[in-house]
Amino acid sequence: MVVGVPFDRTTSFRPGARFGPDSIRMHSWNFESYDLETGVDLSEVAVHDLGNTEEFGSSEDMVISLREEIRPIYAAGKVPIVLGGDHACSPPVVEAYPETAPSVGVLYLDAHMDFRSSYLGDRRSHGCSSRRILEKVGARNIVVLGVRSVSHEEMDDNRTIGMSYVTATDIARDGIEAAVHQALNILKTEKVYISLDIDAIDPAYAGATGTPEPFGLTPRDVKYVIDQAAPRLVGLDIMEVSPPYDSGNTSLLAARLAREAIVRSVAARKGR
Ligand code: MN
Ligand code: MN
């Protein structure tokens, strides 16, 4: 089930991610319904688009409302695919995951650590999202992939908290296969949730984002993460696509990665 969240109030540099959901949808029209690698035809898959949420006031309002909107999706046994919006929209989607469901681990793809306790007085800022998710799932159940920007304070905090991460440089040197293998070994959970900040990918491919950071992952790296996690995937979000800076390539890539998650999940269910 697709849900758009047109919210970017906590953006710290370039605003515009509130226009992300509609732009990603529009660019999804580009693709064939048939998928070459899996043989899945999306015209035969029941994907429901719930449209966009209403607009919110504060980030706290957004968190409370979005959690309530996502809960019934999990309860119905469906997989939420949430299109942002800034990265503040991810923690409520993870927080809505039912306590009684099988354990979930989070692959958090991001150029940034997003590990501040609070940013500019807002604990629900997009600069705090990995930390809020960690507080929900536990330090052993989240791994950050592709990080290459962090504050001194975040590093100091993480020395005591111990969130795992694989840097973009590690991935460039050792390969994405090693990083995913390592991350899935750390998680040890039955289920996996992917939170994709589009700025995890290099600005050469995904420059239309609020806080672009050079030396990033390739689109194929992220495709590999999705393909490997798909059989255990319970939720996906794609955040921080900022259409005002987009020639179309970033929205197109986001749409293609959402599509990848759908066809791979369906293929895994069919045992392909
Ligand atoms: Mn982020
Ligand atoms: Mn980021």
Side-chain angles (χ1 to χ4, degrees):
M1 289 228 190
V2 177
V3 181
V5 192
F7 175 92
D8 64 6
R9 274 178 193 249
T10 83
T11 300
S12 41
F13 184 43
R14 312 193 301 199
R18 68 182 64 182
F19 303 113
D22 289 342
S23 181
I24 296 169
R25 282 189 186 96
M26 193 189 84
H27 285 83
S28 74
W29 303 343
N30 174 55
F31 304 116
E32 297 281 3
S33 68
Y34 183 76
D35 181 64
L36 175 64
E37 292 183 3
T38 58
V40 170
D41 194 323
L42 281 171
S43 66
E44 296 162 4
V45 177
V47 178
H48 185 77
D49 188 343
L50 288 163
N52 291 346
T53 62
E54 61 187 292
E55 290 173 38
F56 301 108
S58 67
S59 54
E60 194 58 39
D61 285 349
M62 178 275 294
V63 165
I64 292 165
S65 300
L66 186 55
R67 254 187 331 231
E68 293 313 311
E69 293 195 41
I70 299 297
R71 276 199 179 107
I73 299 177
Y74 290 122
K78 306 292 182 190
V79 177
I81 296 177
V82 182
L83 308 176
D86 72 36
H87 214 169
C89 304
S90 295
V93 183
V94 177
E95 288 161 6
Y97 186 76
E99 297 288 347
T100 51
S103 64
V104 66
V106 177
L107 295 176
Y108 192 94
L109 283 73
D110 206 314
H112 308 91
M113 202 69 100
D114 290 355
F115 201 64
R116 286 179 158 91
S117 172
S118 173
Y119 188 60
L120 303 176
D122 185 0
R123 285 174 51 80
R124 287 297 185 169
S125 163
H126 74 157
C128 309
S129 291
S130 68
R131 187 124 169 197
R132 296 292 90 81
I133 289 174
L134 180 146
E135 287 164 359
K136 166 72 183 176
V137 300
R140 304 182 66 84
N141 288 336
I142 175 169
V143 180
V144 180
L145 297 175
V147 65
R148 52 199 184 275
S149 171
V150 65
S151 68
H152 200 151
E153 169 205 344
E154 289 169 285
M155 288 305 280
D156 285 346
D157 282 2
N158 197 33
R159 258 185 280 281
T160 48
I161 296 171
M163 180 173 68
S164 300
Y165 59 90
V166 186
T167 70
T169 299
D170 292 337
I171 293 170
R173 189 190 55 231
D174 302 331
I176 190 68
E177 295 83 0
V180 171
H181 184 76
Q182 184 187 340
L184 292 177
N185 263 342
I186 291 167
L187 291 182
K188 293 193 183 74
T189 50
E190 192 177 332
K191 300 296 180 184
V192 174
Y193 179 98
I194 294 177
S195 180
L196 171 61
D197 184 326
I198 203 75
D199 70 30
I201 300 169
D202 194 88
Y205 305 105
T209 190
T211 46
E213 191 73 37
F215 304 122
L217 306 185
T218 66
R220 206 168 274 286
D221 288 338
V222 176
K223 178 183 186 297
Y224 184 82
V225 175
I226 291 171
D227 292 353
Q228 293 302 305
R232 295 153 68 183
L233 197 68
V234 291
L236 165 74
D237 64 64
I238 302 180
M239 299 292 166
E240 301 279 359
V241 171
S242 188
Y245 299 93
D246 202 1
S247 64
N249 287 1
T250 306
S251 296
L252 194 76
L253 177 56
R256 184 63 180 74
L257 291 169
R259 178 184 186 281
E260 186 72 16
I262 297 168
V263 296
R264 289 283 171 173
S265 298
V266 171
R269 242 167 263 169
K270 290 183 171 172
R272 286 187 199 164

